[in-house]
Amino acid sequence: MSNILVLSVKRIIVICQFLWKIVLCLIFAKSVSAERIPLTVLADIDYYPYSFVEQGKVTGVYTKIINRILQDMHRYQVTIQAVPWKRGLKMLAQGKAFAMYPPYKKRVSRPFIDPYSKPLMKEVVSVFCREDILAVKRPRWPQDYYGLTIGLNVGFIMGGAQFHKAVQEGAITIKEYPNNQSNLIQMLIAHETDCYMNDRQAILWTMQYLKKKRPIKQIDLLVEGTAVSVEYGHLGYTNQNLEKYPFKQHFVNQFDQILGELELSGELQTIISQYWEEGLIEQQ
């Protein structure tokens, strides 16, 4: 009987130890969850189809990528907030925002952003013009576009050093509008600009969107000129007011690590490809 009693006691002890481990795990999980760091990441509110708001929700292919990465960043409770591009840049410059996507890497003109994440995806910047403007062949950028007015999205920096020098010298005029749609409309209908420079995919998608949502017969008179450059979108972090963000280096490292793993596994390209395919189906 004593042996049976000893065995029973041992079993009870083992069971208690097992149950206690479960309790500790639950307590730890609750503690970790309670200690998740809340922070806000800004997104461009009007950069279709990469980052924009639709039916009150932030979406776009960059948003899809960012959300996938954040799924594996369990230490953080991240809210994505869409803001106008120039306002977001100002918030980064003042240290009022932690990070924003998707800036191109422009260290000289944006010294308040450091570091930039690994590239999220590649964008080919092109210039599109009305058909009458490209009746004359213009293969060289920017020399063949001297004397013209180029439309840009507000706050966007692109076109290269020679282009910006030409603008400063008055050889090329630029006009800025809030988004892709307004740029295309001002060029095609109001003739306030001759060409529009932006990411090629963004322009093509916006053309399709306008054909479906706001029929503009002049859209068919839009012709692609020359490719200007290749750029990469990033998550850009403020380097101001850093006492507010003591976790910054950990976030930066973990974000890049997960992004690298997604790229290596092929999942990153799958996210991008699926987004393009689904979007084209919706526009048909």
Side-chain angles (χ1 to χ4, degrees), residues 56-90:
K57 183 180 179 181
V58 188
T59 186
V61 65
Y62 278 125
T63 304
K64 297 285 187 183
I65 295 170
I66 296 289
N67 278 328
R68 173 60 188 88
I69 295 170
L70 294 176
Q71 285 180 13
D72 292 344
M73 299 183 69
H74 307 297
R75 184 175 172 183
Y76 303 94
Q77 183 66 47
V78 180
T79 300
I80 295 178
Q81 178 185 352
V83 296
W85 185 244
K86 288 193 75 172
R87 185 193 303 173
L89 290 175
K90 184 176 181 180

Side-chain angles (χ1 to χ4, degrees), residues 26-61:
L26 292 173
I27 293 173
F28 177 75
K30 184 176 181 180
S31 173
V32 169
S33 176
E35 293 176 359
R36 292 182 73 184
I37 299 171
L39 63 90
T40 299
V41 168
L42 302 183
D44 190 343
I45 197 171
D46 211 353
Y47 186 30
Y48 180 87
Y50 290 95
S51 171
F52 62 102
V53 173
E54 187 173 61
Q55 298 180 346
K57 183 180 179 181
V58 188
T59 186
V61 65

Side-chain angles (χ1 to χ4, degrees), residues 43-269:
D44 190 343
I45 197 171
D46 211 353
Y47 186 30
Y48 180 87
Y50 290 95
S51 171
F52 62 102
V53 173
E54 187 173 61
Q55 298 180 346
K57 183 180 179 181
V58 188
T59 186
V61 65
Y62 278 125
T63 304
K64 297 285 187 183
I65 295 170
I66 296 289
N67 278 328
R68 173 60 188 88
I69 295 170
L70 294 176
Q71 285 180 13
D72 292 344
M73 299 183 69
H74 307 297
R75 184 175 172 183
Y76 303 94
Q77 183 66 47
V78 180
T79 300
I80 295 178
Q81 178 185 352
V83 296
W85 185 244
K86 288 193 75 172
R87 185 193 303 173
L89 290 175
K90 184 176 181 180
M91 291 173 70
L92 288 180
Q94 296 173 339
K96 293 181 178 179
F98 174 63
M100 181 170 68
Y101 65 90
Y104 299 156
K105 191 176 288 187
K106 306 292 181 183
R107 295 193 181 279
V108 175
S109 56
R110 296 171 183 160
F112 49 86
I113 299 180
D114 186 60
Y116 290 82
S117 73
K118 289 177 178 290
L120 296 168
M121 63 177 293
K122 181 172 74 173
E123 299 182 33
V124 177
V125 176
S126 293
V127 60
F128 283 67
C129 307
R130 295 192 310 275
E131 188 176 47
D132 59 301
I133 299 298
L134 290 181
V136 177
K137 291 185 178 181
R138 302 178 187 269
R140 298 177 304 159
W141 177 263
Q143 297 92 329
D144 290 342
Y145 294 80
Y146 286 0
L148 300 181
T149 299
I150 309 294
L152 295 173
N153 286 19
V154 174
F156 279 32
I157 299 175
M158 56 180 61
Q162 287 188 335
F163 169 72
H164 292 288
K165 182 180 179 182
V167 171
Q168 291 173 357
E169 294 174 348
I172 294 177
T173 301
I174 63 170
K175 286 192 175 183
E176 294 184 311
Y177 298 95
N179 52 43
N180 307 353
Q181 293 182 45
S182 56
N183 258 294
L184 291 175
I185 291 169
Q186 293 301 325
M187 177 173 57
L188 294 168
I189 296 179
H191 283 207
E192 290 191 4
T193 57
D194 301 303
C195 304
Y196 172 39
M197 179 169 55
N198 200 352
D199 167 68
R200 182 177 187 273
Q201 188 75 51
I203 295 176
L204 291 173
W205 271 55
T206 306
M207 288 169 60
Q208 292 299 321
Y209 177 86
L210 287 173
K211 283 183 178 181
K212 178 180 179 182
K213 300 292 184 179
R214 183 176 175 176
I216 299 175
K217 61 181 180 181
Q218 295 95 327
I219 200 77
D220 293 323
L221 301 178
L222 191 61
V223 180
E224 184 172 1
T226 186
V228 174
S229 63
V230 172
E231 300 284 359
Y232 293 86
H234 303 262
L235 181 65
Y237 303 90
T238 183
N239 61 8
Q240 305 296 306
N241 206 12
L242 293 181
E243 63 275 8
K244 286 181 60 178
Y245 314 111
F247 50 82
K248 177 183 173 181
Q249 196 56 54
H250 178 270
F251 186 100
V252 169
N253 293 342
Q254 189 176 31
F255 186 94
D256 276 358
Q257 178 184 342
I258 296 171
L259 176 55
E261 291 170 355
L262 294 177
E263 184 176 16
L264 190 62
S265 69
E267 185 176 351
L268 178 62
Q269 187 55 51

